[in-house]
């Protein structure tokens, strides 16, 4: 355990989460996969509350990937319906907690009912100044990078004028800092095309807990572990320790 007084890192400003394991959680209980998705909403609720209370500024949740369109149509439909219901059911609570909702992804490909529900909650929470909750829907990292490249070409910027900072302006959320921490539940250890650009230097936390079982304690444990990690950004361990000691004196 790391004592907070000696933590290597401050609280992450931005946490990204790959919410995985709903289907297996349901199957283990002899239920349909959709049962797991419905229970996953409870975990989202708990995470949003915990992130807000901790003072995390941005929480990005991978809710539906570009690749998820290839799931059985009934599951896709159920997920879309669940999204609409959850957005409508949670909006008052989001407003009361000061949570601002935003979404990233190929939103045009979502059913009209989802787009309307998203638009409605985004409008109603637009002035909220607490946690920024970002839902990734019909999203993939390669899609985002491809869109950014299209934007750059259309803008007519010359090749010599393009740099990383400029490229970022064409990504979905140029104003949002990169996630310091990525959490993936369910024991899978891969990125599955999530935030490929932004996760370049994130710390990765993999937990075997299935998403419908993931609660505040798991989240706090992930943050605790993150705070004790050494982030080097290409430098040596010795350089890092010199920097820390110099900062202390
Ligand atoms: C994550 O749970 C939810 C979505 C991808 C929408 P899964 O549905 O992937 O659950 P598993 O991985 O099959 O258990
Ligand atoms: C990633 O989970 C996408 C979301 C959590 C929305 P998947 O369950 O779809 O990922 P893979 O296909 O197992 O890598
Ligand atoms: Mg999965």
């Amino acid at each position: 355990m790391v004592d907070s007084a000696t933590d290597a890192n401050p609280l992450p400003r931005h946490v990204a989460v790959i919410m995985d394991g709903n289907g297996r959680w349901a199957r283990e209980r002899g239920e349909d996969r959709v049962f797991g998705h419905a229970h996953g909403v409870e975990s989202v609720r708990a995470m949003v509350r915990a992130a807000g209370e901790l003072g995390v500024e941005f929480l990005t949740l991978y809710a539906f990937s570009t690749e998820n369109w290839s799931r059985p149509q009934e599951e896709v439909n159920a997920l879309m319906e669940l999204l609409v219901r959850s957005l409508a059911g949670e909006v008052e609570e989001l407003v009361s907690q000061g949570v601002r909702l935003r979404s990233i992804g190929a939103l045009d490909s979502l059913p009209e009912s989802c787009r309307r529900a998203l638009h409605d909650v985004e409008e109603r929470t637009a002035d909220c100044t607490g946690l920024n909750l970002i839902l990734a829907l019909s999203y993939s990292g390669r899609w985002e990078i491809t869109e950014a490249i299209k934007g750059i070409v259309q803008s007519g910027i010359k090749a010599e004028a393009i740099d990383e900072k400029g490229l970022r302006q064409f990504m979905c959320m140029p104003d949002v800092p990169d996630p310091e921490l990525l959490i993936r539940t369910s024991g899978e250890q891969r990125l599955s095309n999530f935030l490929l650009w932004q996760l370049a230097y994130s710390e990765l936390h993999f937990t075997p807990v299935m998403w419908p079982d993931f609660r505040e304690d798991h989240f706090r444990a992930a943050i605790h572990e993150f705070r004790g990690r050494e982030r080097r950004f290409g430098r040596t361990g010795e350089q890092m320790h010199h920097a820390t000691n110099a900062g202390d004196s």
Side-chain angles (χ1 to χ4, degrees):
M1 299 286 270
V2 177
D3 183 334
S4 59
T6 59
D7 277 345
N9 303 302
L11 182 76
R13 293 183 66 196
H14 184 180
V15 179
V17 186
I18 301 177
M19 311 183 287
D20 199 13
N22 295 350
R24 278 164 284 166
W25 184 90
R27 287 289 186 225
E28 279 164 15
R29 286 158 179 78
E31 297 280 354
D32 190 79
R33 296 175 52 82
V34 175
F35 181 74
H37 297 315
H39 275 265
V41 176
E42 304 271 334
S43 307
V44 172
R45 203 177 285 132
M47 277 286 280
V48 168
R49 182 174 286 282
E53 284 173 2
L54 279 163
V56 169
E57 292 169 65
F58 303 91
L59 179 66
T60 301
L61 303 179
Y62 205 7
F64 193 85
S65 72
T66 306
E67 287 75 23
N68 288 149
W69 288 114
S70 56
R71 291 195 177 192
Q73 192 60 47
E74 311 84 74
E75 183 172 343
V76 172
N77 292 346
L79 280 164
M80 295 301 155
E81 283 163 26
L82 185 62
L83 175 69
V84 174
R85 248 184 297 133
S86 306
L87 286 167
E90 298 299 324
V91 63
E92 301 293 344
E93 185 58 32
L94 293 176
V95 171
S96 77
Q97 287 180 36
V99 176
R100 177 178 174 197
L101 184 94
R102 300 159 81 173
S103 47
I104 56 172
L107 304 177
D108 288 350
S109 58
L110 297 174
E112 167 70 18
S113 57
C114 288
R115 275 182 286 151
R116 241 183 300 124
L118 275 173
H119 184 72
D120 181 52
V121 180
E122 286 181 13
E123 259 192 354
R124 289 179 65 186
T125 62
D127 296 328
C128 291
T129 55
L131 175 73
N132 287 278
L133 173 62
I134 302 163
L135 288 186
L137 287 161
S138 190
Y139 173 88
S140 74
R142 287 184 178 177
W143 166 82
E144 183 180 21
I145 293 169
T146 306
E147 290 301 303
I149 292 169
K150 283 190 208 165
I152 286 188
V153 170
Q154 280 162 1
S155 76
I157 295 176
K158 288 210 165 38
E160 312 81 71
I162 299 171
D163 57 12
E164 289 185 9
K165 213 165 148 220
L167 183 51
R168 182 182 288 274
Q169 297 311 311
F170 290 88
M171 308 290 264
C172 293
M173 298 263 166
D175 55 319
V176 175
D178 289 342
E180 294 93 334
L181 173 63
L182 169 82
I183 298 172
R184 182 171 190 149
T185 58
S186 88
E188 306 301 340
Q189 303 193 357
R190 53 180 175 264
L191 297 181
S192 301
N193 215 348
F194 192 36
L195 300 175
L196 296 178
W197 174 273
Q198 297 85 344
L199 293 174
Y201 249 107
S202 308
E203 293 295 321
L204 310 180
H205 177 92
F206 298 107
T207 168
V209 176
M210 297 292 165
W211 178 251
D213 285 331
F214 195 83
R215 285 294 178 273
E216 177 170 355
D217 285 353
H218 303 110
F219 183 43
R220 285 181 181 272
I223 290 192
H224 184 79
E225 195 209 80
F226 163 82
R227 295 196 65 175
R229 291 211 195 155
E230 181 174 81
R231 307 186 75 201
R232 289 190 186 162
F233 301 102
R235 287 178 286 176
T236 67
E238 286 81 357
Q239 281 177 303
M240 299 311 295
H241 298 136
H242 280 308
T244 313
N245 294 339
D248 284 349
S249 60

